[in-house]
Amino acid sequence: MDVRRLPLSGVTVVTVEQAVAAPYATRQLADLGARVIKVERPGEGDFARRYDTTVHGTSSYFVWINRSKESLTLDLKEPRGLEILHELLADADVFVQNLAPGAAGRLGLGADDLAGRHPRLIPCAISGWGTTGPWADRKAYDLLVQCQTGLVSLTGTPGETARTGISVADIAAGMYAYSGVLTALYTRATTGEVHPVEVSLFEALAEWMGQPAYYTRYGGTQPPRLGTQHATIAPYGTFRAADGREVLFSIQNEREWAALCREFLGRPELTDDPRFATSSDRVAHRDDLNAVVAERCARDDAEELLKDLEAIGIACAGVNDVAAFLDHPVLAARGRWREIGVPGGTAEALLPPADLAGLPARMDPVPAVGEHTETILRALGRTPGDIEALRADGVI
């Protein structure tokens, strides 16, 4: 495709990244047309390439968040490798890194170091706990952050906690890094000022914990773990139909509650029952209410329940597994799937969620380790002999 049509065409991002958070941020910049040069370890590359081998030998994680990038291998602990990186940074707009705690500083790649050598460069640091503070030197990974923010204490059933099934801390940090970089690019373009961007997994997920944080601080107790039920709304959750399938629905307001009682439950008198008079009353008497709803749902198959709920304007759905999600009629009807190249074959990928009217989506291949190393080095003036020497010495 013609990348020149995309909004970030002409923007160059150099990234020393691994795992999920930073690659997710830079893939979204690539989606918008930025040139993203991904610096990887010689030989092995980003360790996330080997989290699993499900997509033609490459991990599902890596394929998800690394399309449309160029892969350059460099040993940054070797002076010649670090110098090549600085040559790239001299013409780059953004530098993203999520190196291990303290590594950026040791390599001279901290925000203050870069400001002196590359004053127009926007540095973006993604860390576990922040680059300052008492936990700055601690390693972090997604589930650890889920535990420390209290998310795991909210997820699961009354008898057992559970991790969230996707990497929410990494995704949150990647999203805030992406929006932070866009803001910094806009600020530099409009004012000439350069503002480094810093995001931690902990503080990103802490933001997502806002509602339970307020509920706990001012309500005196944290929201209970209720599986698919909701701490502050009832009825809300899954109920089993006569055919054994689960149906999810929720009541959002008093109008819906009255309609549910009258037309679905066949119990209009429940609207006058003091146990269920308000949303808070319904939550306080959740067990009584759920028993009434469960008895009604057990009389019909799931499809009939969904038809009845939709007829009275209640938001509802069946509970899909991942395979059913992949075949979802909304994705098919809206043409959300595209084929992309991956090392060893092709794969189906979802379009970026934000459609920009009139602009095509960029869906370029996922690179093999070091696939673009020679091309990038030749553009920097290295000869074939230079490149061979660097490879022989393990620099690339």
Side-chain angles (χ1 to χ4, degrees), residues 95-116:
F95 174 59
V96 178
Q97 59 86 9
N98 66 337
L99 292 164
R106 291 191 297 271
L107 292 169
L109 298 174
D112 291 340
D113 300 313
L114 293 172

Side-chain angles (χ1 to χ4, degrees), residues 195-210:
H195 295 279
V197 178
E198 180 182 344
V199 177
S200 77
L201 273 67
F202 180 71
E203 288 159 353
L205 196 56
E207 165 64 19
W208 287 18
M209 288 290 292

